[in-house]
Amino acid sequence: MKRKLLVIGWDSADWKVINPLIDQGLMPNLEKMINEGVIGNLATLKPALSPMLWTSIATGKRPFKHGIIGFTEASEDGKSVKPVTVRHRKCKAIWNILTQEKLKTHVVAWWPSHPAEHINGVCISNFYQRAERPIDEPWVMKPGTVHPESMRELFASMRIHPTEFTKEHIVPFLPEFGKIDEAKVKPLNSITKILADCATVHAAGTYILENEEWDFTGVYYDAIDHFNHGFMQYHPPMREGMNPEAFNYFKNVVTSAYRFHDMMLGRMLKLAGDDATVMLLSDHGFHPDHLRPDYITAEPASPAAEHSPYGIFCIKGPDIKKDEIIYGASLLDITPTILSLFDLPIGADMDGKPLLEIYSSPKEVKTIESWENVE
């Protein structure tokens, strides 16, 4: 059978949060995936800036080779800065390589991925899910958000606006929702925004798995990272100096975020099917314990101080070992490993290596000088 691979990105997911939740039976879908596959830590790069890291994941190369080095880039006229786009990426991503090999390839909301690239499948950029205007104003999607252009309106109709969420959607995250004075508690509105962005990405990803032919699909979720930066300070146990009232309001948010992602993972696993290989990973972790910094400076990108150096890695599927742990994995190893899964050669100019320890039987690996030389 031809290999099918689903790659799911959970930005800043950390085993130090996940393992206690699994022990409590609160993440059953991930627990099942772990029991059926291989897990490990995934070493990040420094500085732990997500656009840079997710591009290294998608290319197998360090930032000085791939060209994405931060959250922003200069505008075309050189007079201002704007959110980073894919235009500064200097090498092929895994979806470009698989497209060259005529594999049906889809990617949703990878960071950065705007404008959407013309691949052999659906490409939806990371500008897709953001609602920047009130719900009663036109929600215009930026040019280049969806490829192919013929599917633009279809995916536009799947977007969810933050104001569509009701009390019933919020209570699982905030059991004390009815007691909160919104005028006094600023973080409240951010929950609906994070959920809307996340649910929009999930809607697009599940539509593709359900309705499109696919060999490779990559879906990136940034919600855990946003929940962590906004609410990890309230994660139990209560820290010294914490406002008890605020702690009581927000202590469940991070746990609920992980449980929500486990529910979405269950749906993705079902749509992928038992014959597919599924890889779950994060670009870095997030300190949930005594290693949390006491304060964050006002400097740009300073919230990265809350990141821990190890993300998560989990894979299951045909020819993959079961209930095993691997060691020494790096986010630079993801693209070489994906190439090995499809029996494609590894670029000698890639900085990572294929994680051959995941296979239940020996795997022969081929190399080429560089995928950049392949027309």
Side-chain angles (χ1 to χ4, degrees), residues 350-366:
M350 292 179 177
D351 297 307
K353 63 185 185 307
L355 299 171
L356 301 181
E357 311 95 300
I358 67 174
Y359 294 107
S360 55
S361 56
K363 183 85 169 181
E364 182 180 350
V365 175
K366 299 167 286 187

Side-chain angles (χ1 to χ4, degrees), residues 30-336:
L30 181 51
E31 181 177 17
K32 185 173 185 293
M33 184 176 171
I34 289 170
N35 292 336
E36 294 176 355
V38 173
I39 67 168
N41 284 329
L42 199 65
T44 191
L45 302 175
K46 291 184 178 182
L49 307 179
S50 289
M52 180 187 87
L53 301 178
W54 287 102
T55 306
S56 285
I57 288 170
T59 61
K61 296 182 179 181
R62 296 184 182 276
F64 74 91
K65 290 183 180 179
H66 64 59
I68 303 298
I69 57 174
F71 293 95
T72 58
E73 65 185 28
S75 61
E76 283 77 4
D77 61 9
K79 296 180 179 180
S80 62
V81 294
K82 62 179 183 176
V84 64
T85 68
V86 76
R87 289 191 177 97
H88 286 275
R89 202 185 72 221
K90 299 186 292 187
C91 62
K92 295 172 183 175
I94 185 63
W95 44 84
N96 305 124
I97 295 171
L98 298 180
T99 286
Q100 289 181 192
E101 295 299 307
K102 297 181 171 53
L103 295 171
K104 201 67 175 178
T105 304
H106 313 282
V107 62
V108 179
W110 209 267
W111 196 11
S113 56
H114 190 86
E117 297 179 86
H118 290 203
I119 59 175
N120 183 28
V122 177
C123 184
I124 301 177
S125 89
N126 60 297
F127 286 7
Y128 167 62
Q129 65 269 28
R130 304 282 189 254
E132 298 174 348
R133 295 183 177 274
I135 195 169
D136 58 349
E137 295 184 15
W139 189 354
V140 179
M141 203 154 61
K142 288 181 173 62
T145 298
V146 173
H147 167 81
E149 181 68 23
S150 60
M151 302 185 77
R152 174 187 176 89
E153 293 305 316
L154 170 67
F155 284 106
S157 70
M158 297 181 195
R159 296 173 299 171
I160 300 166
H161 196 278
T163 54
E164 295 183 66
F165 285 90
T166 67
K167 175 182 176 181
E168 285 69 25
H169 297 111
I170 306 304
V171 165
F173 294 82
L174 299 173
E176 302 290 320
F177 178 80
K179 301 177 183 178
I180 298 175
D181 184 345
E182 295 187 41
K184 294 181 181 179
V185 185
K186 293 182 180 179
L188 185 59
N189 289 337
S190 69
I191 292 179
T192 55
K193 180 184 182 301
I194 297 168
L195 286 176
D197 289 353
C198 183
T200 297
V201 169
H202 188 63
T206 53
Y207 177 88
I208 289 169
L209 292 179
E210 206 165 6
N211 295 281
E212 297 291 321
E213 177 188 349
W214 61 281
D215 299 302
F216 171 90
T217 300
V219 184
Y220 166 75
Y221 299 85
D222 66 1
I224 289 177
D225 187 64
H226 289 301
F227 279 121
N228 283 342
H229 283 296
F231 300 95
M232 185 62 83
Q233 60 183 311
Y234 307 106
H235 192 60
M238 187 172 76
R239 306 177 77 190
E240 185 177 351
M242 173 66 64
N243 181 320
E245 185 179 28
F247 173 77
N248 192 51
Y249 286 154
F250 300 118
K251 64 183 180 182
N252 296 308
V253 173
V254 171
T255 293
S256 298
Y258 274 91
R259 295 185 69 184
F260 179 49
H261 280 71
D262 188 74
M263 293 166 62
M264 292 189 290
L265 175 63
R267 179 63 176 154
M268 299 290 271
L269 290 171
K270 183 175 181 180
L271 290 174
D274 293 335
D275 61 327
T277 301
V278 181
M279 182 188 295
L280 175 68
L281 56 97
S282 65
D283 56 334
H284 55 75
F286 202 99
H287 294 300
D289 48 22
H290 63 286
L291 296 175
R292 282 180 280 184
D294 292 327
Y295 66 93
I296 303 297
T297 67
E299 297 173 16
S302 60
E306 298 179 280
H307 298 166
S308 70
Y310 296 103
I312 69 169
F313 174 79
C314 181
I315 185 169
K316 69 123 185 151
D319 306 321
I320 305 297
K321 292 177 181 176
K322 295 183 183 295
D323 197 19
E324 293 281 349
I325 299 175
I326 63 167
Y327 300 91
S330 158
L331 55 77
L332 293 167
D333 301 332
I334 298 302
T335 282

